[in-house]
Amino acid sequence: MVKYISSNSPQYFAFNVWSIPSAKAVMDAASQLKCDIILQTSMKAFQQLDIEEFHAYVKSYSQKKKINTYLHLDHCRTLDWIHTAIEYGWDSVMIDASDKPLDENIRLTNEVADLAARKGVLVEAEVGQIRGQEDEISSVEAGIARMEDIDRFVKNTRIDMLAAAIGTVHGQYKGVPNLHYQMISEINEITDIPFVIHGGSGLSDEILSRLLSYRNVKKINISTEVKLAYKCGIEESICKNGVEKSGFDPLVINSQIHTSIQNMTTNKLRLLGRTS
Ligand code: G3H
Ligand code: ZN
């Protein structure tokens, strides 16, 4: 089976979605640019979705739109949910045991790698907690991952994608992002495992392009900006269409939300340098 992410693969943006309409908006942007895409489900979204229906929709719609859409389980901390995602056809899973001691992180990651490999599912894992907020999990005290931990981690695990804290944060940035770019090159010197940037929301186009200039950066995660685009769609439709004047029309609001998420996605995907 061909790995959709590898040292030779294209680079991807991965967008967190929580519903069929949010997934459709992202896929519409991707299909317009003829771009393959990753849709991620946070644990909270995964637990609330009808995952069978969601999987069937995503795969059939992306086939209709002639793109590849890969489903990824984001920041999963328990083996049970990893099992479920694999069983229901997710293409990749992230085991996030970055809050555990390194040896325990390695042990758990390998447990996941073994069961995923049997089904041809790719595995992402994290070393050194990435700051910020993801679902209810907060890791605001964490800092930059230690290179010796990253080195030991990649030498002792069998993973397909590596995430490590290099200064990005989940959620909104307070002040100017302070990224340790040299770590990306240092990581590339010790391993060719594709590197994943978490906390992509709030990074300027210039920063995102700089990150994409590293050939080992293969996946950039965007979650908060998808939610902000959703919010913006609601706000714009209410302001522009004057609910009092023209009445409350859910179709207008849905369409504005779709446009808002699609436009945000298009702007990110253009940074990959693929235009139609
Ligand atoms: O795993 C998901 C992300 O790393 C997204 O972070 O909400 O800052 O875009 P973000
Ligand atoms: Zn993340």
mmCIF file of all heavy atoms in Angstrom, residues 204-229:
data_model
loop_
_atom_site.group_PDB
_atom_site.id
_atom_site.type_symbol
_atom_site.label_atom_id
_atom_site.label_comp_id
_atom_site.label_asym_id
_atom_site.label_seq_id
_atom_site.Cartn_x
_atom_site.Cartn_y
_atom_site.Cartn_z
ATOM 1 N N SER A 204 1.181 33.728 9.795
ATOM 2 C CA SER A 204 1.013 34.513 8.568
ATOM 3 C C SER A 204 1.349 33.649 7.346
ATOM 4 O O SER A 204 2.020 32.612 7.457
ATOM 5 C CB SER A 204 1.954 35.722 8.595
ATOM 6 O OG SER A 204 3.293 35.254 8.577
ATOM 7 N N ASP A 205 0.930 34.124 6.173
ATOM 8 C CA ASP A 205 1.260 33.404 4.937
ATOM 9 C C ASP A 205 2.778 33.298 4.780
ATOM 10 O O ASP A 205 3.303 32.305 4.279
ATOM 11 C CB ASP A 205 0.680 34.146 3.717
ATOM 12 C CG ASP A 205 -0.837 33.983 3.649
ATOM 13 O OD1 ASP A 205 -1.393 33.256 4.493
ATOM 14 O OD2 ASP A 205 -1.452 34.596 2.755
ATOM 15 N N GLU A 206 3.471 34.340 5.216
ATOM 16 C CA GLU A 206 4.929 34.352 5.105
ATOM 17 C C GLU A 206 5.534 33.227 5.964
ATOM 18 O O GLU A 206 6.415 32.487 5.516
ATOM 19 C CB GLU A 206 5.421 35.715 5.593
ATOM 20 C CG GLU A 206 6.806 36.048 5.165
ATOM 21 C CD GLU A 206 7.276 37.345 5.822
ATOM 22 O OE1 GLU A 206 6.538 37.935 6.641
ATOM 23 O OE2 GLU A 206 8.412 37.739 5.514
ATOM 24 N N ILE A 207 5.029 33.100 7.185
ATOM 25 C CA ILE A 207 5.545 32.043 8.073
ATOM 26 C C ILE A 207 5.187 30.664 7.508
ATOM 27 O O ILE A 207 6.018 29.757 7.466
ATOM 28 C CB ILE A 207 5.002 32.207 9.513
ATOM 29 C CG1 ILE A 207 5.562 33.479 10.142
ATOM 30 C CG2 ILE A 207 5.308 30.986 10.365
ATOM 31 C CD1 ILE A 207 5.062 33.781 11.548
ATOM 32 N N LEU A 208 3.948 30.529 7.049
ATOM 33 C CA LEU A 208 3.534 29.218 6.510
ATOM 34 C C LEU A 208 4.391 28.850 5.297
ATOM 35 O O LEU A 208 4.823 27.700 5.160
ATOM 36 C CB LEU A 208 2.042 29.237 6.141
ATOM 37 C CG LEU A 208 1.069 29.303 7.327
ATOM 38 C CD1 LEU A 208 -0.364 29.533 6.851
ATOM 39 C CD2 LEU A 208 1.128 28.037 8.180
ATOM 40 N N SER A 209 4.667 29.851 4.442
ATOM 41 C CA SER A 209 5.498 29.567 3.260
ATOM 42 C C SER A 209 6.909 29.186 3.684
ATOM 43 O O SER A 209 7.542 28.308 3.083
ATOM 44 C CB SER A 209 5.566 30.786 2.340
ATOM 45 O OG SER A 209 4.286 31.091 1.885
ATOM 46 N N ARG A 210 7.399 29.859 4.711
ATOM 47 C CA ARG A 210 8.740 29.515 5.192
ATOM 48 C C ARG A 210 8.761 28.076 5.723
ATOM 49 O O ARG A 210 9.696 27.319 5.453
ATOM 50 C CB ARG A 210 9.160 30.510 6.296
ATOM 51 C CG ARG A 210 10.544 30.243 6.804
ATOM 52 C CD ARG A 210 11.089 31.390 7.631
ATOM 53 N NE ARG A 210 12.378 31.010 8.194
ATOM 54 C CZ ARG A 210 13.029 31.703 9.102
ATOM 55 N NH1 ARG A 210 12.534 32.848 9.536
ATOM 56 N NH2 ARG A 210 14.193 31.286 9.571
ATOM 57 N N LEU A 211 7.704 27.706 6.439
ATOM 58 C CA LEU A 211 7.636 26.329 6.946
ATOM 59 C C LEU A 211 7.590 25.335 5.790
ATOM 60 O O LEU A 211 8.243 24.288 5.819
ATOM 61 C CB LEU A 211 6.401 26.155 7.846
ATOM 62 C CG LEU A 211 6.481 26.864 9.199
ATOM 63 C CD1 LEU A 211 5.115 26.890 9.879
ATOM 64 C CD2 LEU A 211 7.513 26.189 10.122
ATOM 65 N N LEU A 212 6.834 25.688 4.751
ATOM 66 C CA LEU A 212 6.713 24.785 3.596
ATOM 67 C C LEU A 212 8.007 24.694 2.793
ATOM 68 O O LEU A 212 8.174 23.789 1.971
ATOM 69 C CB LEU A 212 5.560 25.245 2.685
ATOM 70 C CG LEU A 212 4.146 25.034 3.254
ATOM 71 C CD1 LEU A 212 3.117 25.819 2.459
ATOM 72 C CD2 LEU A 212 3.794 23.550 3.283
ATOM 73 N N SER A 213 8.921 25.631 3.044
ATOM 74 C CA SER A 213 10.187 25.563 2.301
ATOM 75 C C SER A 213 11.098 24.454 2.859
ATOM 76 O O SER A 213 12.077 24.087 2.224
ATOM 77 C CB SER A 213 10.907 26.920 2.345
ATOM 78 O OG SER A 213 11.456 27.136 3.631
ATOM 79 N N TYR A 214 10.776 23.908 4.020
ATOM 80 C CA TYR A 214 11.543 22.758 4.546
ATOM 81 C C TYR A 214 10.963 21.492 3.939
ATOM 82 O O TYR A 214 9.754 21.240 4.073
ATOM 83 C CB TYR A 214 11.436 22.695 6.074
ATOM 84 C CG TYR A 214 12.136 23.851 6.753
ATOM 85 C CD1 TYR A 214 11.466 25.049 6.998
ATOM 86 C CD2 TYR A 214 13.467 23.751 7.132
ATOM 87 C CE1 TYR A 214 12.112 26.120 7.603
ATOM 88 C CE2 TYR A 214 14.127 24.817 7.734
ATOM 89 C CZ TYR A 214 13.436 25.995 7.965
ATOM 90 O OH TYR A 214 14.087 27.043 8.558
ATOM 91 N N ARG A 215 11.809 20.703 3.289
ATOM 92 C CA ARG A 215 11.246 19.577 2.541
ATOM 93 C C ARG A 215 10.714 18.469 3.457
ATOM 94 O O ARG A 215 9.922 17.632 3.018
ATOM 95 C CB ARG A 215 12.234 19.036 1.504
ATOM 96 C CG ARG A 215 13.510 18.530 2.056
ATOM 97 C CD ARG A 215 14.520 18.238 0.962
ATOM 98 N NE ARG A 215 15.778 17.839 1.571
ATOM 99 C CZ ARG A 215 16.093 16.602 1.871
ATOM 100 N NH1 ARG A 215 15.253 15.636 1.582
ATOM 101 N NH2 ARG A 215 17.241 16.318 2.447
ATOM 102 N N ASN A 216 11.160 18.431 4.731
ATOM 103 C CA ASN A 216 10.596 17.410 5.621
ATOM 104 C C ASN A 216 9.258 17.827 6.234
ATOM 105 O O ASN A 216 8.569 17.009 6.839
ATOM 106 C CB ASN A 216 11.575 17.016 6.732
ATOM 107 C CG ASN A 216 12.097 18.172 7.551
ATOM 108 O OD1 ASN A 216 12.265 19.282 7.035
ATOM 109 N ND2 ASN A 216 12.371 17.927 8.828
ATOM 110 N N VAL A 217 8.860 19.094 6.075
ATOM 111 C CA VAL A 217 7.528 19.502 6.564
ATOM 112 C C VAL A 217 6.502 19.016 5.556
ATOM 113 O O VAL A 217 6.469 19.452 4.416
ATOM 114 C CB VAL A 217 7.431 21.035 6.751
ATOM 115 C CG1 VAL A 217 5.987 21.466 6.985
ATOM 116 C CG2 VAL A 217 8.313 21.483 7.902
ATOM 117 N N LYS A 218 5.681 18.061 5.978
ATOM 118 C CA LYS A 218 4.742 17.445 5.028
ATOM 119 C C LYS A 218 3.291 17.701 5.397
ATOM 120 O O LYS A 218 2.394 17.405 4.612
ATOM 121 C CB LYS A 218 4.970 15.919 4.976
ATOM 122 C CG LYS A 218 6.316 15.516 4.408
ATOM 123 C CD LYS A 218 6.435 15.825 2.920
ATOM 124 C CE LYS A 218 7.751 15.320 2.346
ATOM 125 N NZ LYS A 218 7.929 15.748 0.957
ATOM 126 N N LYS A 219 3.049 18.213 6.597
ATOM 127 C CA LYS A 219 1.648 18.390 7.025
ATOM 128 C C LYS A 219 1.578 19.591 7.959
ATOM 129 O O LYS A 219 2.377 19.680 8.900
ATOM 130 C CB LYS A 219 1.213 17.100 7.726
ATOM 131 C CG LYS A 219 -0.173 17.098 8.365
ATOM 132 C CD LYS A 219 -0.504 15.667 8.833
ATOM 133 C CE LYS A 219 -1.800 15.546 9.578
ATOM 134 N NZ LYS A 219 -1.675 15.739 11.023
ATOM 135 N N ILE A 220 0.665 20.510 7.649
ATOM 136 C CA ILE A 220 0.456 21.664 8.532
ATOM 137 C C ILE A 220 -1.001 21.645 8.982
ATOM 138 O O ILE A 220 -1.922 21.638 8.154
ATOM 139 C CB ILE A 220 0.789 22.999 7.832
ATOM 140 C CG1 ILE A 220 2.257 23.023 7.384
ATOM 141 C CG2 ILE A 220 0.481 24.182 8.755
ATOM 142 C CD1 ILE A 220 2.736 24.343 6.777
ATOM 143 N N ASN A 221 -1.201 21.603 10.286
ATOM 144 C CA ASN A 221 -2.550 21.475 10.846
ATOM 145 C C ASN A 221 -3.211 22.829 11.078
ATOM 146 O O ASN A 221 -2.614 23.721 11.695
ATOM 147 C CB ASN A 221 -2.486 20.781 12.214
ATOM 148 C CG ASN A 221 -2.068 19.328 12.120
ATOM 149 O OD1 ASN A 221 -1.932 18.783 11.036
ATOM 150 N ND2 ASN A 221 -1.875 18.709 13.270
ATOM 151 N N ILE A 222 -4.447 22.927 10.626
ATOM 152 C CA ILE A 222 -5.232 24.147 10.829
ATOM 153 C C ILE A 222 -6.567 23.753 11.471
ATOM 154 O O ILE A 222 -7.370 23.036 10.851
ATOM 155 C CB ILE A 222 -5.541 24.858 9.479
ATOM 156 C CG1 ILE A 222 -4.281 25.079 8.633
ATOM 157 C CG2 ILE A 222 -6.342 26.142 9.705
ATOM 158 C CD1 ILE A 222 -3.418 26.240 9.024
ATOM 159 N N SER A 223 -6.797 24.232 12.660
ATOM 160 C CA SER A 223 -8.083 23.950 13.298
ATOM 161 C C SER A 223 -8.817 25.234 13.680
ATOM 162 O O SER A 223 -9.927 25.494 13.225
ATOM 163 C CB SER A 223 -7.862 23.079 14.550
ATOM 164 O OG SER A 223 -9.066 22.922 15.241
ATOM 165 N N THR A 224 -8.188 26.052 14.516
ATOM 166 C CA THR A 224 -8.860 27.262 15.014
ATOM 167 C C THR A 224 -9.384 28.135 13.871
ATOM 168 O O THR A 224 -10.490 28.673 13.955
ATOM 169 C CB THR A 224 -7.866 28.059 15.903
ATOM 170 O OG1 THR A 224 -7.447 27.185 16.952
ATOM 171 C CG2 THR A 224 -8.523 29.294 16.494
ATOM 172 N N GLU A 225 -8.628 28.243 12.806
ATOM 173 C CA GLU A 225 -9.080 29.116 11.700
ATOM 174 C C GLU A 225 -10.305 28.545 10.976
ATOM 175 O O GLU A 225 -11.056 29.303 10.362
ATOM 176 C CB GLU A 225 -7.937 29.391 10.711
ATOM 177 C CG GLU A 225 -6.994 30.466 11.234
ATOM 178 C CD GLU A 225 -6.037 30.997 10.177
ATOM 179 O OE1 GLU A 225 -6.486 31.404 9.100
ATOM 180 O OE2 GLU A 225 -4.822 30.978 10.450
ATOM 181 N N VAL A 226 -10.502 27.244 11.039
ATOM 182 C CA VAL A 226 -11.724 26.682 10.439
ATOM 183 C C VAL A 226 -12.925 27.122 11.280
ATOM 184 O O VAL A 226 -13.951 27.556 10.767
ATOM 185 C CB VAL A 226 -11.670 25.135 10.341
ATOM 186 C CG1 VAL A 226 -12.861 24.611 9.538
ATOM 187 C CG2 VAL A 226 -10.376 24.653 9.719
ATOM 188 N N LYS A 227 -12.731 27.043 12.607
ATOM 189 C CA LYS A 227 -13.833 27.456 13.503
ATOM 190 C C LYS A 227 -14.099 28.955 13.374
ATOM 191 O O LYS A 227 -15.242 29.398 13.384
ATOM 192 C CB LYS A 227 -13.476 27.125 14.959
ATOM 193 C CG LYS A 227 -13.398 25.639 15.238
ATOM 194 C CD LYS A 227 -13.031 25.404 16.692
ATOM 195 C CE LYS A 227 -12.199 24.157 16.850
ATOM 196 N NZ LYS A 227 -11.412 24.104 18.056
ATOM 197 N N LEU A 228 -13.030 29.738 13.240
ATOM 198 C CA LEU A 228 -13.206 31.193 13.097
ATOM 199 C C LEU A 228 -13.914 31.525 11.784
ATOM 200 O O LEU A 228 -14.736 32.446 11.725
ATOM 201 C CB LEU A 228 -11.853 31.907 13.165
ATOM 202 C CG LEU A 228 -11.180 31.901 14.546
ATOM 203 C CD1 LEU A 228 -9.804 32.554 14.472
ATOM 204 C CD2 LEU A 228 -12.041 32.610 15.585
ATOM 205 N N ALA A 229 -13.599 30.766 10.743
ATOM 206 C CA ALA A 229 -14.266 30.999 9.450
ATOM 207 C C ALA A 229 -15.754 30.679 9.576
ATOM 208 O O ALA A 229 -16.610 31.380 9.023
ATOM 209 C CB ALA A 229 -13.618 30.144 8.362
#
